Amino acid sequence: MNTNSIDKYKAINGVVLRIPVGTVASYGQVAALAGLPGRARLVGKALSSRINEMDIPWYRVLRSDGKIAFAESSIQYQRQVEQLKHDGVVVIKGKVNMRTYQWESVL
DNA sequence: GTATTGACTTCAT
DNA sequence: AATGAAGCCAATA
């Protein structure tokens, strides 16, 4: 782990923390807002490295089509669904209606 | 150095 | 709606 990635992870972390309750964002959206356009995959990596230390709302980050990024059988999938529902976000068959719930950030 | 890996995205079936 | 290929690009190995 080098200092470069630490800064990027911090930027990503900051954006995820700003996702309001009851809304969701896509990995690509978070990347763009963090000043890292085109690095959607890096967002997932950053979150996976942080998930053990801090409690950030990682579960508000979904794929661009609203689908949860984990297999249905995984424990993480089930936790994510539960947390989203707790936020008041409707999840149907592992996906969220982005037109309804996607975070419209104002920059 | 090159190769592989992803909590991704988009386009085409 | 579901599936797959191709594109993507930094982080790891």
Side-chain angles (χ1 to χ4, degrees):
Chain A
M1 195 162 215
N2 56 49
T3 52
N4 270 328
S5 50
I6 289 175
D7 286 340
K8 289 170 184 171
Y9 287 2
K10 264 196 253 187
I12 290 166
N13 188 51
V15 171
V16 173
L17 284 168
R18 304 207 320 259
I19 304 174
V21 174
T23 71
V24 299
S26 75
Y27 291 92
Q29 182 183 2
V30 171
L33 291 171
L36 303 166
R39 319 247 186 354
R41 309 186 86 137
L42 188 59
V43 172
K45 200 149 220 200
L47 291 180
S48 67
S49 75
R50 301 238 158 228
I51 194 166
N52 292 322
E53 0 181 330
M54 322 172 111
D55 57 327
I56 61 174
W58 58 269
Y59 55 84
R60 293 179 188 149
V61 185
L62 306 170
R63 290 190 181 161
S64 60
D65 62 357
K67 269 188 66 174
I68 288 175
F70 299 99
E72 289 185 32
S73 55
S74 72
I75 180 62
Q76 300 227 54
Y77 172 98
Q78 296 170 26
R79 277 216 309 165
Q80 186 159 17
V81 172
E82 196 164 338
Q83 290 281 13
L84 286 171
K85 286 191 173 182
H86 187 268
D87 275 13
V89 175
V90 175
V91 183
I92 298 172
K93 284 188 294 188
K95 64 184 176 183
V96 165
N97 185 324
M98 295 303 269
R99 283 227 273 212
T100 301
Y101 295 107
Q102 184 165 40
W103 176 31
E104 313 266 354
S105 66
V106 185
L107 286 172

